Amino acid sequence: VPAILNGIGPYQDKETMFSQPLIWEYAKALNYNTFFLSSHQLSMFAFDDFYDKSALDYYYHQEISGNPLFNELGMDDKFATEQLSKKLSEFKNDRFFGVIQYNTTHYPYTVPEEFMKWGDEKIMDNYFNAMYYQDQLLKRLITHMEKENLMSNTIIICVSDHSEAINEHKNIGHLETNYIETLDIPMMMYVPNGLLKSEELNNLKSN
């Protein structure tokens, strides 16, 4: 996750990794409103020590939210989604840059009962339910952005720091495994028509 936020490969030495600006620091330098929201307990992996909060106008995560743990990593993603919707409404007339970090698709793939579209007898069923729940939260978010007229001038990037093993090579999750099922990472971008020049779009596609 830090490598995604500062563009420095995780194979670099610690001093280099921890001394580079994070992406929202660049946004702040360009006078954007900035925010970071996470469903995680950030202290679990020392993320709270890594993130530079001085360039953030809004900072929100499980430990300061007052919400209970929903799984072993943090709170229900719906709370982060609700807070992000509020921030988007607050900043809609200004330039903003923000990051939201979800945890639903992490083991043990816990979801509210009403989103258990598949059974819960198999680990793959649980994972499908987790993906379905996260999709529904993203749908809520995009619907809110449509109501606030933000979909015509906002770029959305969806990316992950890992994918997930579901019993491939006798592994579940993404720790202690470097097979393709945990390294093959999705990246999706939504770019409104006319927001970028054709050269900029071509550069994004080629990269």
Side-chain angles (χ1 to χ4, degrees):
V1 173
I4 292 173
L5 294 175
N6 66 13
I8 301 297
Y11 45 80
Q12 299 286 348
D13 63 85
K14 183 178 179 180
E15 183 177 348
T16 300
M17 172 65 74
F18 280 76
S19 63
Q20 300 303 306
L22 301 176
I23 191 168
W24 54 67
E25 294 177 69
Y26 292 102
K28 177 54 65 177
L30 295 170
N31 296 316
Y32 280 68
N33 290 307
T34 57
F35 50 86
F36 173 75
L37 304 94
S38 177
S39 301
H40 288 255
Q41 297 182 78
L42 295 187
S43 62
M44 179 178 291
F45 296 105
F47 284 146
D48 53 342
D49 292 331
F50 177 82
Y51 295 140
D52 180 3
K53 298 175 279 293
S54 62
L56 289 168
D57 295 300
Y58 186 68
Y59 182 62
Y60 177 85
H61 57 87
Q62 190 275 326
E63 285 134 313
I64 64 175
S65 70
N67 295 313
L69 291 176
F70 185 68
N71 56 30
E72 61 185 19
L73 287 180
M75 64 182 170
D76 191 330
D77 282 337
K78 72 176 182 180
F79 296 115
T81 304
E82 291 167 358
Q83 289 298 313
L84 179 55
S85 295
K86 292 178 182 178
K87 285 295 129 182
L88 291 174
S89 295
E90 180 181 335
F91 294 145
K92 67 179 180 179
N93 295 320
D94 301 301
R95 298 194 300 178
F96 61 81
F97 178 88
V99 174
I100 184 168
Q101 181 183 26
Y102 281 148
N103 72 34
T104 295
T105 50
H106 288 79
Y107 184 84
Y109 319 120
T110 306
V111 302
E113 186 174 352
E114 63 267 30
F115 292 95
M116 294 178 65
K117 188 173 182 178
W118 289 267
D120 61 350
E121 296 181 3
K122 299 178 181 178
I123 192 70
M124 184 60 81
D125 291 336
N126 293 333
Y127 189 57
F128 282 154
N129 288 329
M131 288 191 290
Y132 175 65
Y133 181 46
Q134 186 164 284
D135 282 347
Q136 297 309 303
L137 292 176
L138 291 173
K139 180 180 178 180
R140 291 182 195 176
L141 190 58
I142 291 173
T143 299
H144 179 77
M145 293 180 68
E146 289 173 338
K147 291 179 180 178
E148 296 287 15
N149 297 316
L150 288 170
M151 293 301 288
S152 62
N153 61 2
T154 306
I155 293 175
I156 303 172
I157 302 173
C158 295
V159 67
S160 178
D161 57 316
H162 60 81
S163 45
E164 200 80 347
I166 308 294
N167 281 325
E168 298 94 341
H169 298 98
K170 299 181 180 179
N171 286 308
I172 295 176
H174 55 275
L175 300 178
E176 307 301 331
T177 171
N178 289 310
Y179 292 105
I180 191 64
E181 58 267 17
T182 54
L183 300 179
D184 195 16
I185 299 168
M187 183 174 184
M188 296 172 283
M189 297 184 68
Y190 165 79
V191 181
N193 290 332
L195 196 61
L196 296 179
K197 299 176 182 178
S198 58
E199 181 181 358
E200 293 172 321
L201 284 172
N202 288 334
N203 286 339
L204 282 175
K205 292 177 181 178
S206 63
N207 286 335

